[in-house]
């Protein structure tokens, strides 16, 4: 992976346009959206042309209190092998809790504390041991900060690299997001982190509303983010830079224009001679999860369970406030937590509508669907994936004899049965469950 170049996030909605983009060097694909045995024809054609493909995971939750799920690690590794990828990437985030069982459906920031760093480092080492290629981790965008943090972003990332040898995926749009939302200085972060560990860079668009920057991946890349790319470029020549776009896809010419603007920044001038981290850059036989000169990857021993328990309690209290309506933990900005809670519910509604486009049609259109789903989400936090969420939403409506139109209710019943393979519980079953819960 000596050089990736300039690339774009491959998405099914723009697959044809991506194939036609001139001078495209590589693509990144959301790992959970592809099946190793049934890769999209577009990706196969790109690979045949020599275009590199990197899987980008979103569901491992390496910053969570629990150890990484071995099945998820195996699935990510399978995709790396199937795509012939030089590395895989994930996020420095938590996405779920196990007690109570809750899914955020989104990347949430980990507290920059010693406890959280110890847990993250051990989880990263577990992932490195399981994966067939090197791992890079991305800094995430956040709407809020944790109270009582002990490290800066730069200190946190630096110590993570030094203790595990993991590579970094720096998202400059996320640096801007955190400047607006958390008052962090992007230049200070770039000055503090070990740029020799840089694997590649993300660039994306967003929008500011009410003093909050939303990292939407659905808007053009603003000049301020390109300026941050130039800041990074003045320090190091990145092995790869990638444009992310996940929604409201523009015409092909606009995508090409954004890539041209990114390429212009990357090729302008020369950075200081810092050797970027590359797969296979270590000596023959070296552990692919570490790189000499990046970090020793020294294992200080297992994390005490009491440490994981402390991290788990904090994350569970926060996630419960975000998705289950419990009180906001002390020290958090309550307004920002409310903004994040609304954003999580809205994302659930949007993703379920994409996975099950029949539901808005059955319910009479986007607005009635959204109103019904957001009402459901207030009392039903997500405990599994989005596909299960769609089924649970439909079941909840049917239990309450909704929608009111009998024909629509019959269509929803048929839709639910076809996918769940069962009959939705009748009212008497719901009452029995409620009584049993109260008795417990």
């Amino acid at each position: 992976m000596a050089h990736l170049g300039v690339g774009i996030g491959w998405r099914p909605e723009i697959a044809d346009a991506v194939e036609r983009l001139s001078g495209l060097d590589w693509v990144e694909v959301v790992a959970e959206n592809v099946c190793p045995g049934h890769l999209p024809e577009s990706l196969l054609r790109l690979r045949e042309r020599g275009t590199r493909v990197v899987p980008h995971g979103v569901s491992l939750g390496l910053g969570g209190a629990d150890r990484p799920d071995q099945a998820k690690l195996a699935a990510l590794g399978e995709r790396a092998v199937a795509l012939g990828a030089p590395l895989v990437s994930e996020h420095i985030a938590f996405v779920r809790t196990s007690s109570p069982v809750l899914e955020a459906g989104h990347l949430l920031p980990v507290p920059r504390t010693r406890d959280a760093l110890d847990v993250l480092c051990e989880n990263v080492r577990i992932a490195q041991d399981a994966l067939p290629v090197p791992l890079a981790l991305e800094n995430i965008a956040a709407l809020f900060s944790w109270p009582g943090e002990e490290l800066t972003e730069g200190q946190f990332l630096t110590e993570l690299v030094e203790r595990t040898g993991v590579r970094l995926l720096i998202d400059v749009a996320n640096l801007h997001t955190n400047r607006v939302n958390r008052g962090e200085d992007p230049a200070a972060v770039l000055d503090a982190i070990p740029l020799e560990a840089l694997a590649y860079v993300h660039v994306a668009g967003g929008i500011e509303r009410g003093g909050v920057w939303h990292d939407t991946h659905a808007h053009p890349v603003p000049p301020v983010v390109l300026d941050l790319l130039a800041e990074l470029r003045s320090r190091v020549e990145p092995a790869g830079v990638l444009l992310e776009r996940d929604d409201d896809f523009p015409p092909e010419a606009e995508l090409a224009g954004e890539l041209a603007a990114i390429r212009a920044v990357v090729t302008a001038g020369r950075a200081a001679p810092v050797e970027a981290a590359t797969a296979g850059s270590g000596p023959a036989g070296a552990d692919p999860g570490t790189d000499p000169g990046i970090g020793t990857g020294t294992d200080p021993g297992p994390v005490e369970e009491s440490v994981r328990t402390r991290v788990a309690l904090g994350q569970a209290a926060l996630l419960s406030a975000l998705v289950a309506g419990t009180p906001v933990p002390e020290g958090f900005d309550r307004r920002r937590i409310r903004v994040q809670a609304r954003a999580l519910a809205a994302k659930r509604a949007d993703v379920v509508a994409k996975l099950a486009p029949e539901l808005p049609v059955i319910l009479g259109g986007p607005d009635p669907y959204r109103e019904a789903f957001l009402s459901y989400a207030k009392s039903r936090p997500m405990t599994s994936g989005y596909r299960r969420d769609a089924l649970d939403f439909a079941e909840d409506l049917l239990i309450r004899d909704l929608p009111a139109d009998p024909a629509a209710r019959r269509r929803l019943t048929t839709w639910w049965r076809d996918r769940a393979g069962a009959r939705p519980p009748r009212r008497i079953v719901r009452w029995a469950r409620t009584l049993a819960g109260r008795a417990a």
Side-chain angles (χ1 to χ4, degrees):
M1 204 193 72
H3 183 73
L4 285 173
V6 175
I8 192 170
W10 183 93
R11 304 294 183 263
E13 297 89 340
I14 55 171
D16 292 341
V18 167
E19 287 191 64
R20 289 190 294 266
L21 287 171
S22 175
L24 185 69
D25 299 313
W26 68 294
V27 298
E28 181 189 75
V29 61
V30 177
E32 290 81 355
N33 290 352
V34 295
C35 178
H38 303 279
L39 294 175
E41 292 295 326
S42 173
L43 282 180
L44 293 175
R45 286 192 293 269
L46 286 169
R47 285 199 61 206
E48 289 171 0
R49 283 164 34 183
T51 305
R52 279 177 166 167
V53 183
V54 172
H56 184 56
V58 297
S59 66
L60 270 183
L62 291 174
D66 295 324
R67 290 174 178 80
D69 184 298
Q70 290 298 320
K72 291 182 182 295
L73 285 172
L76 183 56
E78 288 170 0
R79 283 149 180 79
V81 172
L83 293 167
L87 82 165
V88 297
S89 57
E90 248 286 354
H91 300 83
I92 302 169
F94 83 100
V95 297
R96 66 181 61 86
T97 58
S98 58
S99 182
V101 177
L102 295 172
E103 287 277 345
H106 188 68
L107 303 165
L108 296 176
V110 301
R112 290 178 299 211
T113 62
R114 289 290 171 190
D115 281 354
L117 180 60
D118 287 346
V119 169
L120 173 63
C121 287
E122 184 171 83
N123 289 349
V124 168
R125 287 192 291 270
I126 292 170
Q128 289 171 318
D129 287 344
L131 292 169
V133 294
L135 171 67
L137 292 182
E138 178 181 351
N139 61 307
I140 71 163
L143 283 172
F144 59 88
S145 297
W146 283 76
E149 293 192 316
E150 300 164 336
L151 301 165
T152 66
E153 178 79 345
Q155 291 169 335
F156 194 85
L157 295 178
T158 298
E159 197 158 333
L160 170 65
V161 170
E162 290 175 345
R163 290 171 58 176
T164 66
V166 76
R167 290 152 172 78
L168 293 177
L169 160 51
I170 295 299
D171 189 317
V172 291
N174 292 349
L175 292 179
H176 173 65
T177 301
N178 295 338
R179 170 168 53 193
V180 176
N181 295 348
R182 305 204 287 187
E184 296 173 357
D185 180 5
V189 176
L190 293 176
D191 285 340
I193 61 176
L195 289 175
E196 65 272 18
L198 182 65
Y200 62 95
V201 178
H202 272 175
V203 180
I207 190 170
E208 186 172 352
R209 299 191 190 97
V212 174
W213 186 270
H214 298 270
D215 182 46
T216 64
H217 294 192
H219 292 83
V221 176
V224 67
V225 171
L226 290 177
D227 290 343
L228 284 178
L229 177 61
E231 280 272 349
L232 183 148
R233 180 65 182 82
S234 71
R235 292 163 170 81
V236 65
E237 184 174 355
V241 181
L242 184 118
L243 171 65
E244 287 188 297
R245 187 78 179 225
D246 294 316
D247 208 349
D248 289 342
F249 298 101
E252 187 175 331
E254 289 186 30
L255 287 176
E258 288 202 303
L259 283 172
I262 290 170
R263 192 182 298 276
V265 173
V266 172
T267 57
R270 286 293 166 188
V274 177
E275 184 179 348
T278 57
S281 60
D287 180 351
T290 63
D291 188 292
I294 297 175
T296 63
T298 302
D299 186 351
V303 174
E304 294 182 7
E305 288 306 313
S306 61
V307 174
R308 285 191 179 271
T309 298
R310 288 195 295 269
V311 173
L313 289 173
Q315 291 181 348
L318 173 62
L319 188 51
S320 294
L322 288 170
V323 303
T326 59
V328 177
E330 192 67 30
F332 283 95
D333 184 324
R334 284 172 166 74
R335 185 181 72 86
R336 289 294 177 89
I337 296 300
R338 287 194 295 270
V339 172
Q340 182 73 81
R342 290 195 296 270
L344 292 178
K347 181 177 180 180
R348 279 178 71 186
D350 291 343
V351 175
V352 166
K354 286 183 178 180
L355 289 174
E358 304 88 352
L359 292 178
V361 175
I362 293 171
L363 296 179
D367 292 340
Y369 158 78
R370 194 173 187 82
E371 181 180 356
F373 189 92
L374 293 178
S375 175
Y376 152 81
K378 287 179 181 178
S379 59
R380 293 289 298 274
M382 187 163 57
T383 58
S384 187
Y386 283 110
R387 296 185 189 281
R388 182 72 253 174
D389 205 23
L391 291 171
D392 289 346
F393 169 55
E395 179 182 330
D396 182 75
L397 290 174
L398 294 170
I399 287 171
R400 294 186 289 124
D401 289 334
L402 295 173
D405 175 49
R409 195 161 60 249
R410 285 194 296 272
R411 290 198 300 274
L412 184 61
T413 301
T414 300
W415 182 91
W416 189 91
R417 285 177 179 168
D418 287 346
R419 288 153 183 80
R423 182 182 296 275
R426 297 180 183 277
R427 255 186 261 168
I428 188 66
V429 176
R430 177 167 58 93
W431 291 337
R433 287 178 178 173
T434 302
L435 291 172
R438 288 174 181 169

